[in-house]
Amino acid sequence: MPPKAKNFVSDIKPWKTEWRVHVKAVHSWKQQSKFGGESLEMILADETGAKIHASCKHGFLAKVQRDLPINEWRVIDTFNVSPARGHYRTTAHTYRIAITKDTSIASSDVKIETPFLSLAPFTSINNGDLDPDFLIDVFGQVVDIGDMLTVQVSGEERQKCEFYLRDTSGHTIQCCLWGRFAEQFQESCQEADKQIILCLIRFAKITSYRGELQVTNSFDASDVKINPSIPESDEYMKLLSQDDMSLTTTGLEVTKKKLRRKREVWLTYPVKTVAEMIHATEIEKCRITATIYGNDTDWAWFYFGCCQCTKKVTRIRREIVLANSTKPLWRCDTCHENVSNVEPKFKLNLLVKDDNNNTKMLLLDSEAQKVVGCLAKQLWDGSYNEMEDPELLPVEIAGAVGKTFHFGVQIKKDNVSYGADTYKISKVWTLEELAKIEAEAAEADACETEEQESDEPVITMSSTKSSDKVSTQSEISSKDTSYGLSTPSSKRKEEIDALPDLNSTTKKQCTKLIKLEKDNLK
């Protein structure tokens, strides 16, 4: 029997199943469905760059993960083809494929290293020219990072981080990452410190809020990479090294109302003493200023979290002792699988006091980093065994004793109704940061008053070159919806449903209180 003819992704149609394509999996993720259970979703690309969505059910998941690794070329033979429908489609292909028990996967002689990006122009995004039912790729320089927020969405806490990306022409788009993407993005930006940060978001969705557009991750279908190794990164860095004015402030037309920094939500919560907080009779949020005077060493100072989703994992105990070179296995209930790639996360139980009283406070990873000044994995000795002596704390943790911070505290039902004596911290400021924030809030109030008296909503900034000609202006469309640079702020928590909070830490902006409204999680 002669070998089957080679097909391209664009040839695939539902009239038969015996297609034979040479493809590379450029991205994959697991998806949980109420009706279909767990499945593996993939984006496959052929040598022409055409992409198609593929999936396999739980029964074939292990085999497909083994035989179809990311960024490796394979020949896929025989599969079902069905229409691609619904919102947020990963590719523009009319159809999608399903891997079945009859599907064969073999090695391919095609060797192409390109990631097959389909980068969307920032101007097309801002102008609304793109169909929001299709996911897109975006790439640019991170020029403004907002606070990490923790918001209530359908009764669950979700983290989000907002920022701007700028392309080589000076155009910007507003982005928002949710969940593990937000955490990974914020951590990567912290590790990069003040270096140039380039960000690639693959398979992102365009969403709208109050008529404004924003790019955000599409649940787990998206992929976020910081400073990726792609030709676009090299080209961007070349322009930066040439000190190209189009990448700085030349020709920026800034809408004053849109780029205004929103007031720090935690500043709206009352300031209490420790004694007032302890005797609170209602579930609420408040702020206190307190000094750390010790650590509650009844508890370990860290826990192990999954590197994929950052959630706590449980070690799987084995009867057979493994070799020292073999990493232990853990169960991640969030990812619904056994994992070996874990890392320590802070879980500090601090003893704090003010002039009136003392209490205990729990700081998890992001908030604890602000107090300790580094990541938990930087203090880890590399051992996966349980602590033998909790009194032996790292110098950096012990060094926090005696320092004073301003804390955003959650007074929960356990504290009010059941007498729990430990309070969870959701926000941490140094006293210097608090003074700066309060000064900015006062300035924001002044700006708000000034705006109400002015009929000029737009401020135009331009620069002239040596010929005294004004350079071309490009509009920054600040989008408001749903992981020059600035230092990321720590996480902020507010009990609102997925409401965007536009932040700018690069320039002093006017701030206007905005009526909070519900918005569906994007």
Side-chain angles (χ1 to χ4, degrees), residues 276-331:
E276 290 172 336
M277 181 186 71
I278 293 173
H279 293 100
T281 58
E282 295 181 357
I283 299 172
E284 61 177 319
K285 294 179 180 179
C286 68
R287 296 180 287 137
I288 68 167
T289 298
T291 301
I292 301 171
Y293 73 89
N295 291 272
D296 185 354
T297 53
D298 286 351
W299 303 84
W301 61 268
F302 73 92
Y303 65 91
F304 284 105
C306 173
C307 289
Q308 182 71 14
C309 68
T310 74
K311 300 301 182 182
K312 186 176 181 180
V313 294
T314 304
R315 185 168 181 173
I316 299 174
R317 302 295 177 181
R318 298 180 177 178
E319 296 180 0
I320 301 176
V321 178
L322 299 175
N324 291 333
S325 60
T326 304
K327 296 175 69 174
L329 200 62
W330 310 76
R331 180 63 184 177

Side-chain angles (χ1 to χ4, degrees), residues 32 68 180 193 197 199 208 233 237-238 271 313 328 333 458:
Q32 193 73 25
L68 190 57
R180 63 181 177 87
D193 195 18
I197 300 176
C199 179
S208 63
S233 292
M237 295 306 293
K238 278 184 181 180
V271 176
V313 294
D333 291 331
V458 176

Side-chain angles (χ1 to χ4, degrees), residues 206-367:
I206 303 173
T207 58
S208 63
Y209 179 76
R210 294 181 178 174
E212 302 295 339
L213 299 177
Q214 184 184 61
V215 172
T216 182
N217 61 285
S218 180
F219 303 99
D220 290 330
S222 300
D223 188 25
V224 179
K225 296 186 182 299
I226 301 298
N227 295 330
S229 299
I230 56 177
E232 288 79 3
S233 292
D234 297 334
E235 293 173 8
Y236 204 109
M237 295 306 293
K238 278 184 181 180
L239 289 174
L240 287 175
S241 64
Q242 295 169 5
D243 196 24
D244 193 314
M245 289 299 294
S246 67
L247 300 182
T248 54
T249 59
T250 301
L252 298 184
E253 190 175 272
V254 182
T255 304
K256 181 177 179 182
K257 181 178 180 180
K258 292 180 180 178
L259 289 185
R260 182 180 301 114
R261 178 168 182 164
K262 191 176 179 181
R263 186 189 304 275
E264 171 64 76
V265 174
W266 274 97
L267 292 183
T268 63
Y269 300 129
V271 176
K272 295 179 179 288
T273 65
V274 171
E276 290 172 336
M277 181 186 71
I278 293 173
H279 293 100
T281 58
E282 295 181 357
I283 299 172
E284 61 177 319
K285 294 179 180 179
C286 68
R287 296 180 287 137
I288 68 167
T289 298
T291 301
I292 301 171
Y293 73 89
N295 291 272
D296 185 354
T297 53
D298 286 351
W299 303 84
W301 61 268
F302 73 92
Y303 65 91
F304 284 105
C306 173
C307 289
Q308 182 71 14
C309 68
T310 74
K311 300 301 182 182
K312 186 176 181 180
V313 294
T314 304
R315 185 168 181 173
I316 299 174
R317 302 295 177 181
R318 298 180 177 178
E319 296 180 0
I320 301 176
V321 178
L322 299 175
N324 291 333
S325 60
T326 304
K327 296 175 69 174
L329 200 62
W330 310 76
R331 180 63 184 177
C332 178
D333 291 331
T334 302
C335 296
H336 303 289
E337 62 182 357
N338 297 339
V339 297
S340 60
N341 194 15
V342 300
E343 63 181 16
K345 303 288 184 181
F346 280 122
K347 185 180 180 180
L348 300 184
N349 286 267
L350 301 180
L351 307 176
V352 303
K353 64 180 181 179
D354 63 6
D355 295 335
N356 297 277
N357 213 322
N358 59 75
T359 189
K360 299 177 184 178
M361 291 188 170
L362 172 64
L363 282 78
L364 297 180
D365 199 54
S366 298
E367 296 80 27

Side-chain angles (χ1 to χ4, degrees), residues 157-223:
E157 293 183 351
R158 295 294 303 275
Q159 290 184 310
K160 73 170 185 175
C161 180
E162 293 183 326
F163 57 97
Y164 283 93
L165 288 182
R166 180 172 59 190
D167 64 13
T168 54
S169 299
H171 302 109
T172 65
I173 56 172
Q174 187 182 351
C175 304
C176 178
L177 295 179
W178 290 86
R180 63 181 177 87
F181 293 107
E183 295 177 354
Q184 293 168 2
F185 174 81
Q186 196 84 342
E187 183 174 315
S188 298
C189 291
Q190 289 174 343
E191 291 176 351
D193 195 18
K194 295 185 178 180
Q195 300 176 13
I196 298 300
I197 300 176
L198 302 178
C199 179
L200 169 66
I201 308 177
R202 301 208 68 180
F203 311 109
K205 63 183 177 182
I206 303 173
T207 58
S208 63
Y209 179 76
R210 294 181 178 174
E212 302 295 339
L213 299 177
Q214 184 184 61
V215 172
T216 182
N217 61 285
S218 180
F219 303 99
D220 290 330
S222 300
D223 188 25

Side-chain angles (χ1 to χ4, degrees), residues 245-514:
M245 289 299 294
S246 67
L247 300 182
T248 54
T249 59
T250 301
L252 298 184
E253 190 175 272
V254 182
T255 304
K256 181 177 179 182
K257 181 178 180 180
K258 292 180 180 178
L259 289 185
R260 182 180 301 114
R261 178 168 182 164
K262 191 176 179 181
R263 186 189 304 275
E264 171 64 76
V265 174
W266 274 97
L267 292 183
T268 63
Y269 300 129
V271 176
K272 295 179 179 288
T273 65
V274 171
E276 290 172 336
M277 181 186 71
I278 293 173
H279 293 100
T281 58
E282 295 181 357
I283 299 172
E284 61 177 319
K285 294 179 180 179
C286 68
R287 296 180 287 137
I288 68 167
T289 298
T291 301
I292 301 171
Y293 73 89
N295 291 272
D296 185 354
T297 53
D298 286 351
W299 303 84
W301 61 268
F302 73 92
Y303 65 91
F304 284 105
C306 173
C307 289
Q308 182 71 14
C309 68
T310 74
K311 300 301 182 182
K312 186 176 181 180
V313 294
T314 304
R315 185 168 181 173
I316 299 174
R317 302 295 177 181
R318 298 180 177 178
E319 296 180 0
I320 301 176
V321 178
L322 299 175
N324 291 333
S325 60
T326 304
K327 296 175 69 174
L329 200 62
W330 310 76
R331 180 63 184 177
C332 178
D333 291 331
T334 302
C335 296
H336 303 289
E337 62 182 357
N338 297 339
V339 297
S340 60
N341 194 15
V342 300
E343 63 181 16
K345 303 288 184 181
F346 280 122
K347 185 180 180 180
L348 300 184
N349 286 267
L350 301 180
L351 307 176
V352 303
K353 64 180 181 179
D354 63 6
D355 295 335
N356 297 277
N357 213 322
N358 59 75
T359 189
K360 299 177 184 178
M361 291 188 170
L362 172 64
L363 282 78
L364 297 180
D365 199 54
S366 298
E367 296 80 27
Q369 289 175 27
K370 194 67 175 281
V371 171
V372 180
C374 63
L375 302 174
K377 63 183 179 182
Q378 295 176 277
L379 308 182
W380 179 42
D381 63 3
S383 172
Y384 292 98
N385 297 325
E386 292 184 342
M387 291 184 182
E388 295 183 0
D389 186 358
E391 298 285 344
L392 296 177
L393 295 172
V395 173
E396 290 81 358
I397 296 178
V401 174
K403 295 182 179 179
T404 301
F405 294 90
H406 195 68
F407 299 101
V409 186
Q410 293 188 72
I411 304 176
K412 295 193 168 185
K413 184 176 181 179
D414 285 348
N415 305 116
V416 175
S417 302
Y418 305 117
D421 60 355
T422 300
Y423 295 82
K424 185 178 179 182
I425 302 302
S426 293
K427 186 75 173 178
V428 178
W429 303 267
T430 63
L431 299 185
E432 292 77 10
E433 286 175 331
L434 179 65
K436 181 179 179 181
I437 291 173
E438 290 177 338
E440 289 178 349
E443 182 179 353
D445 290 337
C447 289
E448 182 179 348
T449 302
E450 179 182 349
E451 186 196 60
Q452 292 173 352
E453 298 173 353
S454 173
D455 293 326
E456 298 292 334
V458 176
I459 296 178
T460 301
M461 301 190 303
S462 61
S463 69
T464 54
K465 300 189 178 181
S466 57
S467 62
D468 291 333
K469 293 183 179 180
V470 179
S471 62
T472 304
Q473 295 185 344
S474 59
E475 183 178 358
I476 294 181
S477 298
S478 305
K479 306 305 176 184
D480 184 15
T481 183
S482 339
Y483 320 96
L485 294 174
S486 58
T487 303
S489 301
S490 58
K491 182 172 61 174
R492 167 172 58 189
K493 188 168 184 181
E494 52 185 340
E495 293 184 356
I496 56 177
D497 280 356
L499 187 70
D501 181 15
L502 183 57
N503 296 278
S504 172
T505 55
T506 313
K507 298 180 180 293
K508 292 184 178 180
Q509 306 289 349
C510 300
T511 305
K512 182 176 181 181
L513 287 177
I514 301 173

